[in-house]
């Protein structure tokens, strides 16, 4: 593999950028509103440039890494095993996260006794049905593969292509070499763009605090406290246990995972963080043939942070409107949050758009989506960081479950 990790200096630059950004964001809170809004617009633009550059590379990156990884598995039985374990672990961890979201809502009761209103002029969206969601995984034509909503179809296409290359046997080797070279090229492209990351992370962190800092008080503050504390419980306890079972020291996992965590926190997109998560998986010693399948699929379907958030939001919205939830509702909240998180697009704010599905399933007021939009970026930051961290934790365990070993690398 010709790709190497980013330099330690770059990682330090990213962390320093994040901290300076946070400090600047709090300092900006002291400025008059109009000036603060102006500065915030520029800061956000600096971050958006980074996200747009990465997003251009994402479709070919997902396509080439998955198809090359599948094609490299001469043993199709092992591929089947990876996919089965991936499904089992991704769904189990998301269900645990969604349940923690329910518990967080009951412990903190963030919406009890408070009447929030949707932003002026907001019209509630029409929630998709479960059939709509299922069919959206299979887009109608080839051109739709490149759209954000086409990511799942792209994954299915890439897996089938990889299988076809294996079935071609000797003849397929040349296509495999091409796919692998293209995949390495895309990863290298991302490494080039990464040199801009410290600036983007600095700008996004400052923007987030300058614009959303005031909302950290009051009922929203309570919601965020509930979400943040239970998300961190999920991160440290559930992922700690998973990587330990997979044979990796949790300390090493948390240390290496901190870089994609920060990138996800500030860019608020699992898709944009994918290349950094792959780099982290490599540093944890996961084999290429495993993480090149589990991570692109995970970025698209495995979103524990989002599942926790959607279940908690459902409880929050019910509390705001004074609606009592039965145990059946709670079960539905967990199930629909798992489905909703799978269907959520790996982009900023995707989880709040899909919240309409969860609220609709429970028969809760869809105005809840508008209510949650108010604090979406702050909430999105952590749920995205948890989303990508879950993919890597599961990858470590899947490696063990399919009978492969972690490399003992840095
Ligand atoms: N932004 C999240 C992600 O990309 C999805 C969400 O909004 O919950 O992982």
């Amino acid at each position: 593999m010709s790709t190497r990790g980013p330099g330690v200096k770059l990682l330090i630059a990213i962390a320093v950028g994040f901290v300076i950004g946070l400090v600047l964001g709090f300092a900006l809170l002291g400025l008059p509103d109009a000036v603060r809004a102006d500065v915030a617009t520029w800061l956000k633009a600096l971050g958006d440039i980074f996200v747009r550059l990465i997003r251009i590379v994402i479709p070919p990156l997902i396509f080439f890494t998955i198809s090359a990884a599948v094609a490299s598995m001469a043993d199709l039985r092992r591929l089947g095993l990876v996919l089965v374990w991936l499904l089992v672990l991704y769904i189990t961890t998301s269900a645990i996260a969604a349940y923690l979201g329910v518990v967080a809502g009951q412990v903190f009761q963030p919406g009890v006794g408070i009447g929030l209103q949707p932003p002026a002029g907001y019209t509630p969206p029409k929630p998709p049905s479960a059939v709509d969601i299922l069919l959206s995984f299979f887009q109608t034509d080839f051109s739709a593969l490149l759209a954000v909503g086409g990511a799942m179809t792209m994954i299915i296409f890439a897996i089938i292509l990889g299988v076809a290359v294996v079935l071609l046997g000797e003849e397929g080797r040349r296509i495999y070499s091409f796919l692998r070279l293209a995949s390495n090229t895309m990863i290298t492209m991302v490494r080039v763009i990464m040199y801009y990351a410290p600036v983007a992370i600095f700008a996004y962190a400052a923007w987030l605090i300058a614009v959303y800092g005031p909302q950290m008080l009051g009922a929203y503050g309570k919601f965020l406290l509930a979400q943040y504390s239970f998300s961190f419980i999920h991160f440290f306890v559930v992922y700690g246990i998973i990587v330990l079972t997979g044979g990796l020291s949790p300390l090493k996992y948390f240390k290496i995972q901190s870089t994609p965590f920060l990138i996800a926190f500030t860019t608020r997109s699992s898709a944009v963080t994918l290349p950094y998560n792959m780099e982290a998986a490599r540093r944890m010693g996961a084999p290429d043939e495993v993480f090149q399948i589990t991570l692109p699929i995970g970025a698209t379907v495995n979103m524990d942070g989002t599942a926790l958030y959607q279940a908690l939001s459902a409880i929050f919205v019910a509390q705001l409107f004074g609606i009592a939830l039965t145990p059946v509702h709670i079960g539905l909240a967990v199930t629909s949050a798992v489905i909703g998180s799978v269907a959520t697009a790996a982009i900023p704010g995707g989880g709040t758009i899909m919240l309409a599905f969860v609220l609709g399933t429970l028969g809760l007021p869809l105005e809840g989506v508008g209510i949650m939009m108010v604090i979406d970026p702050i909430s999105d930051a952590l749920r995205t960081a948890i989303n990508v961290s879950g993919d890597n934790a599961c990858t470590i365990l899947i490696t063990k479950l399919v009978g492969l070993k972690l490399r003992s690398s840095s």
Side-chain angles (χ1 to χ4, degrees), residues 94-95 98-99 102 130 307 310-312 314-315 324-341 354-364:
S94 293
Y99 185 69
V102 169
Q310 287 174 340
L312 171 60
I315 307 289
L325 297 179
T326 62
V328 175
H329 281 116
I330 302 291
L332 263 184
V334 172
T335 321
S336 60
V338 172
I339 299 175
S341 67
M354 210 26 94
L355 179 61
F357 167 73
V358 180
L359 297 180
T361 309
L362 289 167
L364 291 170

Side-chain angles (χ1 to χ4, degrees), residues 303-328:
M303 299 196 181
D304 295 359
T306 301
L308 190 152
Y309 158 83
Q310 287 174 340
L312 171 60
S313 299
I315 307 289
F316 181 54
V317 170
Q319 289 170 349
L320 286 176
F321 288 88
I323 301 167
L325 297 179
T326 62
V328 175

Side-chain angles (χ1 to χ4, degrees), residues 268-270 303 306 344-352 380 383-384 387:
R268 295 174 293 121
S269 168
S270 298
M303 299 196 181
T306 301
T344 293
I347 53 167
T352 301
D380 197 6
R383 59 182 198 254
T384 310
N387 289 347

Side-chain angles (χ1 to χ4, degrees), residues 106 119 137 148 175 184 212 247 267 326 346:
Q106 286 164 340
F137 295 164
V148 168
I175 299 193
N184 285 346
Y212 292 94
T267 62
T326 62

